[in-house]
Amino acid sequence: MTGALSSVGDVLRLPLALSMAVQCLGWAVAVTSTSLRHFDLFGALTFFAVVVSLPNPSAAPSLMVIAWCCRLGSFLSLRSLRHGEDPRFNGVLHNPLKQAVVWLLQGIWVVVCLLPVILRAYRDQAAGAGAGAGPATATIAPTALFLAGFALEVTADYQKYVFKSDPANAKETIRTGVWSDVRYPNYAGEIVIWLAIALAATADLAPGIPTATDLALSYLSPVFVAFLLICVSGIPPQEARRRQTRGDNEDDDDDDDPR
C-alpha cells in the first residue's frame, strides 16, 4: 500500500466490522422471525453501508456498486416475498448456529467483492486528494463495460422472471431472449459488472501508483465472484435443481441449450 496505509489488515478492519455488524442484525431478525426472506436485502444494505462509510470513496466504482446493489437487492427481495423462502436455506432455517455461519459468509463475501473500492478509497485518503491521479478519461471504458454487464443482468433477470411467472413454464428451461445465446446470462452480467468495478478503481491511477499487491487484491474481487457463480453458489445448484425438475427427460433436448 502507499502513504499511511500500513497494512491491508488496517484498511479492512472497519469495513469488515461494519459488514459483520449488519450481518448480526440480519441474523437476529432471521432467528426471531424464523425466516430468511430478508437475507438478500441485508446483503444489499451491507454493500451500501460499507461504500458510503469509506473515508474518500472514488466516484465511479462507488456509484457502480450502489447502482448494482440497489437494483439487485430490490429485485431479489421482491422475488423472495412473492415466492417464499429460498430453497438454498432449507437446511439452516431452523438452526440458529447454521444460520450464523451463512450470515458470516455473506459478511466476508461483501468485503472481498468490495476490495477494489475499499483499497482505492484508503489509497486516495493516504495520498491526498488528486494525488497520483491519471487521466480522467481512463474510467470511460470501465463505465461502458459496467453498463453493458448491468444491462445484460437486468435483462436476463427480467426475462426469466416473466417466463417463470407463467405456471405453464414451472418445469421448463428458458431459451428465449438473451437466454437463447448464453446458458446463464445473469451470471455473465454479474461477472462483467465486478470486472468493470475493479477496472474503474485502478484504471485512472498514474502508472506505478497501485502496487502489485493493490492490483492483485483488487482483481481478486471479479475472480472471486466468477469462482462462486461458476463453481459454488451459482451454476451448480441451478443445474442440480434443473436435473431434479426434469428427471429422466433432462437429456432429451440438452443439445438445444445454449452453452
Side-chain angles (χ1 to χ4, degrees):
M1 309 301 289
T2 60
L5 296 187
S6 57
S7 72
V8 174
D10 292 338
V11 169
L12 297 182
R13 186 179 297 118
L14 290 179
L16 186 60
L18 177 57
S19 179
M20 291 307 171
V22 178
Q23 304 317 302
C24 288
L25 178 60
W27 174 79
V29 173
V31 170
T32 55
S33 64
T34 320
S35 173
L36 281 163
R37 291 187 179 187
H38 59 283
F39 184 79
D40 292 312
L41 175 61
F42 270 86
L45 288 174
T46 309
F47 276 100
F48 184 85
V50 172
V51 169
V52 299
S53 71
L54 293 174
N56 190 26
S58 182
S62 298
L63 290 175
M64 290 176 185
V65 172
I66 291 173
W68 169 83
C69 73
C70 288
R71 199 290 305 182
L72 187 60
S74 60
F75 171 77
L76 294 177
S77 298
L78 291 173
R79 187 182 67 178
S80 178
L81 290 174
R82 176 171 180 174
H83 296 290
E85 296 292 344
D86 193 320
R88 292 178 300 170
F89 304 128
N90 288 344
V92 305
L93 188 58
H94 301 286
N95 188 317
L97 290 179
K98 289 184 177 180
Q99 275 198 41
V101 174
V102 172
W103 288 99
L104 173 66
L105 292 176
Q106 174 162 264
I108 296 172
W109 166 68
V110 170
V111 173
V112 175
C113 288
L114 287 177
L115 277 174
V117 183
I118 295 170
L119 294 175
R120 175 61 188 269
Y122 280 93
R123 186 190 303 117
D124 286 351
Q125 182 190 44
T137 55
T139 59
I140 293 177
T143 300
L145 186 64
F146 171 82
L147 292 175
F150 190 83
L152 178 60
E153 185 178 53
V154 170
T155 302
D157 283 342
Y158 175 75
Q159 289 178 347
K160 185 174 182 179
Y161 180 81
V162 171
F163 181 83
K164 289 296 184 180
S165 295
D166 185 349
N169 296 327
K171 294 185 178 182
E172 298 298 323
T173 300
I174 181 172
R175 297 187 182 87
T176 57
V178 295
W179 295 84
S180 65
D181 300 314
V182 183
R183 180 78 164 236
Y184 293 100
N186 51 341
Y187 296 153
E190 180 92 346
I191 294 169
V192 170
I193 284 172
W194 285 103
L195 175 59
I197 291 171
L199 286 169
T202 58
D204 64 337
L205 292 169
I209 294 300
T211 65
T213 301
D214 289 339
L215 292 175
L217 289 173
S218 294
Y219 288 97
L220 175 62
S221 170
V223 171
F224 180 67
V225 170
F227 173 74
L228 288 182
L229 291 177
I230 296 172
C231 302
V232 182
S233 62
I235 293 176
Q238 289 287 339
E239 289 293 299
R241 283 195 290 270
R242 180 175 179 273
R243 288 192 296 269
Q244 184 178 22
T245 300
R246 297 182 64 84
D248 294 336
N249 295 324
E250 178 205 357
D251 296 327
D252 289 352
D253 53 5
D254 261 1
D255 290 340
D256 296 328
D257 286 347
R259 298 287 176 175

